Amino acid sequence: MLFAHFGVTGPLVLSASAHMRSFGERAYALAIDFKPALDAEKLDARILRDFDKFKNRDVGNALDELMPRSLIPVVLRLAAIPPDTKTHSVTRVQRRALAGTLKAFPVRVTGPRPIAEAIVTRGGVDVKQVDPRSMASRLVPGLYFAGEVLDVDAYTGGFNLQIAWATGRLAGLHAGTEASE
């Protein structure tokens, strides 16, 4: 997942977008785990270690080793910890809020990017109208379909390419056979 000027993107987001439909009717949110290798207990121990290391600093200046600098003010705001709080004054409740925010950082999804920027899309020729043995149209003789013109999609990771190659080969073989008859 990547953070961009417009929001989040990347293979994970593209795959997740397959489950996000009806933006006008439903609300979507992400909960991002910035520390997936640490459970709550280990994360709390890590925070305590950093706070001990920087015990006289403001909490806003003591988290550089835990997260990117640009993320610190946002995480502190969401955890309701004033950035000028001294690390030795942060309460257990505040520390748990900080850890909770790092384990489930909330991001509200407002919608997809414009279609002109689309990397993945849905829709196409209904596969019920296509013979899967030849990729021939069931409605128009001599017409074959392949790849993303079909209403099929898969998670990011080369699956759509495999669909394109397999259906393209199948359509090409059968169209070529029909043309030579």
Side-chain angles (χ1 to χ4, degrees):
M1 182 172 67
L2 305 167
F3 287 90
H5 66 283
F6 56 79
V8 293
T9 188
L12 177 69
V13 173
L14 295 175
S15 291
S17 71
H19 302 284
M20 295 180 187
R21 304 174 189 147
S22 312
F23 277 102
E25 302 165 19
R26 299 180 72 179
Y28 297 98
L30 306 176
I32 302 169
D33 186 349
F34 284 128
K35 296 296 175 184
L38 302 176
D39 63 21
E41 186 178 310
K42 288 180 183 173
L43 180 56
D44 188 51
R46 168 66 195 276
I47 292 168
L48 281 171
R49 192 169 58 245
D50 285 358
F51 282 6
D52 186 53
K53 183 176 180 180
F54 304 113
K55 66 179 109 198
N56 293 319
R57 284 193 189 175
D58 292 347
V59 71
N61 295 320
L63 298 170
D64 294 22
E65 295 178 8
L66 188 63
M67 68 186 94
R69 189 112 197 65
S70 59
L71 189 59
I72 294 171
V74 179
V75 169
L76 289 176
R77 182 175 46 80
L78 291 171
I81 303 172
D84 60 349
T85 304
K86 297 295 183 194
T87 57
H88 64 270
S89 298
V90 174
T91 67
R92 178 182 296 178
V93 170
Q94 288 175 314
R95 222 176 49 242
R96 285 193 177 143
L98 173 62
T101 302
L102 288 171
K103 294 297 284 176
F105 186 84
V107 175
R108 186 173 57 91
V109 179
T110 58
R113 298 295 296 157
I115 192 71
E117 297 176 23
I119 295 171
V120 294
T121 59
R122 293 193 90 86
V125 175
D126 186 343
V127 293
K128 292 177 188 164
Q129 298 175 357
V130 179
D131 180 346
R133 294 167 296 181
S134 65
M135 303 313 297
S137 169
R138 295 183 192 267
L139 304 177
V140 179
L143 180 60
Y144 294 83
F145 299 103
E148 293 192 5
V149 74
L150 295 163
D151 187 11
V152 294
D153 61 80
Y155 287 133
T156 300
F159 301 106
N160 286 338
L161 292 173
Q162 181 59 44
I163 291 167
W165 292 325
T167 58
R169 183 174 191 278
L170 193 56
L173 288 172
H174 286 277
T177 302
E178 183 181 292
S180 66
E181 290 176 356

